[in-house]
């Protein structure tokens, strides 16, 4: 079982729709969760972090964390073509002494005009 | 404030050559990391450092070496380059005190070994 799992996609949504990206993790001791956006040929860019159960909203982005079910999700409202990118989920867990992040392989999002 | 910088942006090496990938940050961050990313794959940690003079192996350290003589710089050395080291290399840093565990990435170095 991979430590952090994501569906590779692509996830295709029309412009203006809600895009829902999911991530599951295996270590119950995980405490910090991050979503990075990576455009093709570019470096990962941090867009959301979440540390406690529930929802965290920032503009069009909402991160949702459910530690009991060991998943974290990212919702993108009013999706725009400029949101087309690969979204990486990253987790900091007890196995790594919380010093390192474990990354999923990413979900590719395509937003069509 | 330039953040995390990496040089070079691109490099082509012949098998068996050596090179150093440079990484520098001006945010006074304690933690620094080196990752590699292969096409369609996630980020794999090569080495990391929690402060000057302290380094440790990550998930895929074979074929690489690092040093951390200053807080600002964290170079990655490739000895005897092999085609399997063709990848995009990212350096990242994190502040120990604030913004817990959030890592910030440099622009990357695209390396081809032929």
């Amino acid at each position: 079982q991979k430590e952090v799992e994501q569906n590779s996609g692509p996830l295709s949504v029309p412009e203006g729709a809600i895009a829902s990206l999911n991530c599951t993790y295996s270590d119950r001791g995980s405490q910090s969760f991050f979503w990075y956006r990576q455009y093709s040929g570019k470096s990962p860019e941090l867009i959301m972090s979440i540390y406690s159960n529930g929802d965290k909203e920032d503009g069009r982005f909402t991160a949702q964390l459910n530690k009991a079910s060991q998943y974290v999700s990212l919702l993108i409202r009013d999706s725009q073509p400029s949101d087309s990118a690969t979204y990486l989920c990253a987790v900091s867990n007890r196995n790594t002494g919380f010093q390192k992040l474990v990354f999923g392989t990413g979900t590719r999002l395509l937003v069509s005009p | 404030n330039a953040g995390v910088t990496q040089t070079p942006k691109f490099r082509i090496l012949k098998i068996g050559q050596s090179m150093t990938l440079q990484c520098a940050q001006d945010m006074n961050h304690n933690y620094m990391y080196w990752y590699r990313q292969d096409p369609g794959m996630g980020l794999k940690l090569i080495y990391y450092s929690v402060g000057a003079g302290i380094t440790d192996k990550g998930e895929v350290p074979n074929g690489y070496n690092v040093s951390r003589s200053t807080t600002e710089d964290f170079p990655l050395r490739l000895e005897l380059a092999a085609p399997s080291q063709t990848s995009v290399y990212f350096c990242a840093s994190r502040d120990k005190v604030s913004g817990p565990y959030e890592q910030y990435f440099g622009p990357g170095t695209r390396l081809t070994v032929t």
Side-chain angles (χ1 to χ4, degrees):
Chain A
Q1 183 184 10
K2 291 182 180 179
E3 290 189 76
V4 179
E5 294 206 57
Q6 297 180 256
N7 188 318
S8 60
L11 173 65
S12 296
V13 300
E15 183 175 357
I18 296 175
S20 178
L21 304 162
N22 299 312
C23 170
T24 60
Y25 59 93
S26 61
D27 183 5
R28 284 194 172 275
S30 300
Q31 292 192 350
S32 306
F33 307 86
F34 305 90
W35 284 100
Y36 285 83
R37 177 176 62 199
Q38 187 175 25
Y39 292 114
S40 180
K42 301 295 186 182
S43 60
E45 173 192 10
L46 179 68
I47 55 172
M48 289 289 287
S49 58
I50 186 166
Y51 305 108
S52 55
N53 277 329
D55 295 359
K56 178 182 178 182
E57 186 174 320
D58 184 1
R60 295 186 295 113
F61 298 99
T62 299
Q64 299 176 319
L65 176 60
N66 184 322
K67 288 187 176 181
S69 300
Q70 295 177 241
Y71 81 79
V72 56
S73 61
L74 179 70
L75 300 178
I76 306 175
R77 290 181 300 280
D78 188 24
S79 295
Q80 301 295 309
S82 59
D83 294 325
S84 297
T86 296
Y87 289 80
L88 301 171
C89 173
V91 173
S92 175
N93 60 32
R94 190 175 297 153
N95 287 345
T96 66
F98 305 110
Q99 293 181 335
K100 298 176 280 187
L101 294 179
V102 179
F103 285 84
T105 54
T107 297
R108 186 176 170 212
L109 173 66
L110 297 175
V111 181
S112 55
Chain B
N1 190 336
V4 180
T5 58
Q6 292 182 240
T7 56
K9 290 184 178 180
F10 305 93
R11 184 71 186 267
I12 298 175
L13 278 182
K14 295 187 184 300
I15 294 171
Q17 287 184 323
S18 301
M19 77 163 293
T20 299
L21 281 67
Q22 301 291 344
C23 174
Q25 52 90 11
D26 60 0
M27 299 174 283
N28 201 33
H29 284 177
N30 296 94
Y31 291 72
M32 296 187 74
Y33 305 83
W34 273 106
Y35 294 91
R36 61 176 287 172
Q37 186 176 40
D38 299 323
M41 304 295 288
L43 293 156
K44 301 291 186 184
L45 182 65
I46 305 171
Y47 271 95
Y48 70 103
S49 169
V50 300
I54 306 170
T55 62
D56 206 350
K57 295 178 181 178
E59 188 179 355
V60 289
N62 291 343
Y64 307 95
N65 275 301
V66 293
S67 59
R68 184 97 181 270
S69 57
T70 67
T71 299
E72 294 78 20
D73 300 298
F74 190 40
L76 177 71
R77 179 78 177 167
L78 278 72
E79 304 283 1
L80 298 175
S84 60
Q85 293 179 304
T86 294
S87 190
V88 180
Y89 292 83
F90 291 106
C91 179
S93 71
R94 166 165 84 84
D95 188 352
K96 181 179 181 181
V97 177
S98 64
Y101 314 123
E102 298 171 352
Q103 294 184 17
Y104 297 92
F105 286 80
T109 294
R110 188 175 297 272
L111 176 67
T112 302
V113 181
T114 62

